[in-house]
Amino acid sequence: MPKKKYSFKLKSNLSELDKLCEHLDDFGQRLGLSKKSIFEINLALDELFTNIISYGFADDDEHVIEVTLTPQNKTLCMCIEDDGIPFNPVEVKKPDLECTVEDCKIGGLGIHLIRNLMDEVCYERCGEKNVLTLKKNIAQTESGKNKTD
């Protein structure tokens, strides 16, 4: 498994979603991750990136979102940094999944999805930046398949 971290920057535009997907697919394949793991990582980061673009900035200026992927033993650590409005997704209450469609509140399901796809989600505000760290178990068996697949 490659030990080096992999970083890339994206502009604060939804058109960058394809570039995000390409980076994640490429890195996941180099790590030897299963298609399922790559899909789950892609889904979580796609949701986060979309939320940052849609709700994270008080202006229409172009901002940069930095993504760093770091393999650490049997875990993939993903760090997403942006200079947007302070927002801690860890503090968002879990949605009521038992309500009827008519009674459900809009929003919050993306964060719920991310929490379920990742093994750990941490947030901190560092200076003027939101720093969200996600961790996912990528333990490999000898055959190269992810144990959870």
Side-chain angles (χ1 to χ4, degrees):
M1 175 184 322
K3 301 284 184 200
K4 292 182 179 181
K5 70 179 180 178
Y6 179 72
S7 294
F8 55 94
K9 296 178 181 182
L10 302 168
K11 297 174 189 170
S12 57
N13 190 307
L14 291 175
S15 66
E16 295 279 86
L17 281 170
D18 287 340
K19 190 185 289 186
L20 173 65
C21 181
E22 289 171 14
H23 281 290
L24 296 174
D25 284 342
D26 180 55
F27 189 72
Q29 288 176 17
R30 286 194 282 144
L31 276 180
L33 299 181
S34 68
K35 289 181 181 180
K36 178 182 176 191
S37 291
I38 295 171
F39 173 80
E40 290 175 349
I41 291 165
N42 201 338
L43 185 59
L45 293 185
D46 183 299
E47 179 66 27
L48 283 171
F49 183 77
T50 301
N51 283 349
I52 291 167
I53 302 305
S54 300
Y55 309 111
F57 302 108
D59 57 40
D60 291 328
D61 295 343
E62 184 174 284
H63 297 264
V64 173
I65 297 148
E66 186 169 358
V67 179
T68 303
L69 309 171
T70 310
Q72 299 174 335
N73 297 319
K74 298 177 182 184
T75 302
L76 179 62
C77 181
M78 297 158 274
C79 182
I80 299 90
E81 295 183 37
D82 68 78
D83 64 344
I85 299 165
F87 177 70
N88 184 349
V90 176
E91 293 178 346
V92 173
K93 292 181 182 178
K94 293 181 180 179
D96 178 6
L97 300 176
E98 301 298 319
C99 64
T100 65
V101 172
E102 295 82 16
D103 295 332
C104 281
K105 293 181 183 177
I106 295 174
L109 292 178
I111 293 170
H112 175 72
L113 175 72
I114 292 162
R115 286 180 180 146
N116 283 297
L117 292 173
M118 298 293 119
D119 295 304
E120 189 176 328
V121 179
C122 301
Y123 169 85
E124 62 182 322
R125 183 75 179 177
C126 295
E128 297 295 314
K129 292 195 177 236
N130 293 304
V131 180
L132 189 65
T133 303
L134 309 173
K135 292 186 179 180
K136 180 150 183 75
N137 181 354
I138 55 168
Q140 302 286 312
T141 63
E142 289 183 30
S143 67
K145 289 288 186 185
N146 195 310
K147 288 182 181 178
T148 59
D149 294 343

